[in-house]
Structure formats: structure tokens, C-alpha cells
Amino acid sequence: MSSAAPDFQHLIRLSDDTGLFEHARHAVVRRHHGYCTDDVARGLVIVSREPLPSQRLTELAERYLAFLTHAQDHSGAFRNRLGFDRRWRDRPGVGDWWGRAMWGLGTAAARNSAPWIREEALLAFTLGAQQRSPHLRAMTFAGLGAAEVLRADPDSTVAAALLTDAAEAIGVPPENPSWPWPQPYLSYANAALAEVLIAAGDLSDDQQTLTSGLHMLTWLRDIQTRNGRFSVVPAAGWRQDKQRTRYDQQPIEVAALADACAVAAFVTGELSWQDGVRRAAAWFQGANDADALMWDPATSGGYDGLTEHGPNLNQGAESTMALISTMQHARRLS
């Protein structure tokens, strides 16, 4: 895989006529784990980002959108887990999966090349925007979807209200040069918090919020860089004033940095942010703490994590989409 051409081969392998399977053992789907709204929403994000999708990718977008509208109830909440027997395992809620569904729907409504997909995605997004979540990451992901809608339609009061509420949920980082972050710990998809503030500040002409987001992202990028390479916070997270471990690094962290740096580059026009995108793409290509290729050239699947013993060779949906998403950004730079 080169940075010029994201390869959807493994994503297609993980998908069927219902949705997108969550897990794989090496490259082979593990059907008994079923599907989740989280991953289907991520799938809708990346296929909707393609400016000239193949018919196969448009079909995937339709399938993922149909899954999300099936998962959504009349209040705008979403179920998350569907078994291979096509039975839901949970009730509708507003956890992370609601936020990611809103991100997927917002991206499809704003960017998908098919007008019928954009129209249906906007209907589902508008319904989902009636909800708010008490969970910070859920509001953050929903804010990313709201920003997509607002860029396409600056007059969308629904998207503007959701993005404002997401930015307020994140809050203002403390004026602490050693820890300018709104929480006393880093967990997962950290760069998304900074990205929401950057987007909210830009789209509302709020310079203070924009500056806060850029400051957060600068710090996050720098503390996750070692010897010119990304070395991201591991799955266990990192708490202020505690020792930080090096592994198990997750591809989603690298993809979140690529997303946020790409938005920062777009908003500010500063070329230095493009280096963050390149560094993220290089992480997958072996410029990481283990000098390990983080995808399988035979399958185009992304490996599930970077451990002290090398890559976790399973190629699940989240990691594969993190790879594709990062390479989409790198392709735009080239």
C-alpha cells in the first residue's frame, strides 16, 4: 500500500450484506463476534471520504448507512451490538457508538458522492442530534460529525448546536505547560478532543477556542513523538504524574492524530501540521518503536496493535480502518 492509494481490499473482506464484522483472527473474519455500530460508523466515514468511489464502495456506504438507520430508534439513540444471527444484544443508548454513528452520518451527509446517501444520512443525523450524551468521548465523536455537516451547510442550526455542546463538554484546558489537557489522563482517540475544539473555533470564528484546540494538539503531538517518530499513548492510557508505558500502542491513536493534524493544516494553512499526517502514515509503514510494518501487504489489513513483541497480527475492523483513514490523508498531501 502506498500513501497515494488507500486499499479497501480487507474492508471488503470484513463486510457482508448486513454490515461490517468487528474482529478477525489474522485476516479471517470471526463471525461469532458479530457486528457493532461503532465500526460500521467508522466504515461509513472512510468510504464517504472517497471523492471518486468505485461502485463497490458506494454499495458499502449504502450497506453501512442501512445498518445505522436500523440501529437507530425513534428518539435518535442507537443500539450497538448485533449478533451474526441478526439479533440485537443491547438496547438503544448514547454511549460512544451514538457519537461514532453521528460522525459517520455527518460525514456521509456532507461528503458522500451519492445524493441519495447524503439525503438519508442527513435525516438520520438530524434525528440523532436530538440526543446528548453524558460521556465525553461520545460527545466528541458526535462533534466531529456536526463539524462535517456544518462545513457543507453553514446554516445548519442543528449541527451548530451539537458542535457547540461538544466543545463545551470538552471544556477549556488548564494553563499548565506540563499538562495543558482538560482531563488528568489520556485514554483513547485523544486527538479527537483537540480536533473538535479546532473545528468549533474555526466554524464559529471563536479564536480562543481555536487557539485552545491548536495548543492541545501541539502538546499531544509533541509528547507522542520520540526520535522523529510517533510513539502513541498505549491502550492502558497515561495519567498525569504517572509513569507512561510504551506498549500496547493502538492504530486508532495514530489515525486520530492524522485526522486532527489534517484539520489543523486545513484551518491554519500551516505546513508544519502536514508533518503530523506524514508521521502517522510512516508509523504504519514501519517508522515506529518496533520498526515494524503495521499492515499486511498480502491482505491490506491493518494489524491490531503494536506490542513489545511486535505487531498483533490480527486484522480487525478498527485497525484496518485506522490504516485506510491515515492513508487517505497522506494521499491528499501527495
Side-chain angles (χ1 to χ4, degrees):
M1 177 181 292
S2 72
S3 61
D7 188 335
F8 290 84
Q9 176 185 340
H10 191 57
L11 188 70
I12 292 169
R13 183 181 293 111
L14 293 173
S15 302
D16 68 358
D17 60 356
T18 295
L20 174 61
F21 288 105
E22 183 176 8
H23 293 297
R25 181 161 52 226
H26 293 179
V28 178
V29 166
R30 304 185 77 175
R31 290 181 173 178
H32 62 282
H33 288 287
Y35 320 82
C36 69
T37 293
D38 267 325
D39 284 339
V40 173
R42 290 185 181 107
L44 187 57
V45 168
I46 61 173
V47 295
S48 293
R49 284 176 173 174
E50 284 294 293
L52 297 171
S54 65
Q55 181 178 344
R56 189 67 179 272
L57 291 188
T58 297
E59 290 170 355
L60 282 187
E62 290 179 318
R63 203 168 305 158
Y64 298 161
L65 177 57
F67 184 102
L68 294 182
T69 57
H70 180 51
Q72 190 176 38
D73 75 355
H74 66 277
S75 75
F78 290 84
R79 295 178 176 87
N80 187 33
R81 299 204 168 274
L82 184 71
F84 186 58
D85 60 2
R86 311 306 195 267
R87 294 184 180 181
W88 291 106
R89 302 292 193 245
D90 57 1
R91 302 182 67 83
V94 290
D96 278 10
W97 59 93
W98 167 80
R100 287 203 178 95
M102 294 297 289
W103 185 9
L105 292 168
T107 305
R111 294 209 216 180
N112 199 279
S113 63
W116 62 91
I117 292 176
R118 293 197 303 271
E119 292 165 5
E120 180 64 19
L122 184 58
L123 287 174
F125 174 88
T126 303
L127 176 60
Q130 296 180 25
Q131 293 281 355
R132 295 293 185 269
S133 175
H135 307 293
L136 177 58
R137 288 301 189 282
M139 286 299 295
T140 297
F141 299 138
L144 296 177
E148 292 281 5
V149 173
L150 205 55
R151 289 187 190 104
D153 178 11
D155 295 326
S156 174
T157 56
V158 169
L162 180 55
L163 181 56
T164 296
D165 288 348
E168 289 180 355
I170 294 166
V172 179
E175 294 183 6
N176 178 354
S178 66
W179 196 272
W181 198 255
Q183 294 180 297
Y185 55 87
L186 296 173
S187 54
Y188 61 96
N190 297 293
L193 277 68
E195 183 183 345
V196 166
L197 293 188
I198 293 168
D202 174 54
L203 291 165
S204 64
D205 293 322
D206 182 341
Q207 189 61 43
Q208 183 176 356
T209 299
L210 173 59
T211 299
S212 292
L214 291 169
H215 184 49
M216 284 171 57
L217 183 58
T218 299
W219 175 77
L220 187 67
R221 177 197 61 190
D222 291 349
I223 63 157
Q224 295 188 106
T225 299
R226 180 185 287 117
N227 299 323
R229 299 177 169 191
F230 275 149
S231 177
V232 296
V233 171
W238 180 31
R239 184 167 287 275
Q240 185 179 8
D241 299 326
K242 299 293 184 181
Q243 185 176 359
R244 174 178 157 193
T245 58
R246 185 174 293 191
Y247 304 103
D248 179 23
Q249 295 179 33
Q250 298 292 299
I252 187 178
E253 295 308 313
V254 180
L257 279 166
D259 278 343
C261 286
V263 168
F266 172 75
V267 167
T268 67
E270 295 177 8
L271 297 179
S272 60
W273 288 112
Q274 296 182 4
D275 291 338
V277 176
R278 295 188 181 96
R279 201 172 293 165
W283 186 90
F284 285 100
Q285 301 285 19
N288 52 54
D289 284 333
D291 296 318
L293 194 65
M294 287 303 296
W295 63 284
D296 184 347
T299 66
S300 297
Y303 292 139
D304 276 355
L306 185 63
T307 75
E308 59 184 324
H309 306 294
N312 174 341
L313 298 179
N314 291 333
Q315 300 166 36
E318 178 186 284
S319 301
T320 294
M321 290 185 287
L323 167 69
I324 294 171
S325 172
T326 300
M327 293 307 173
Q328 284 178 318
H329 291 307
R331 177 190 62 186
R332 291 189 187 96
L333 293 185
S334 66

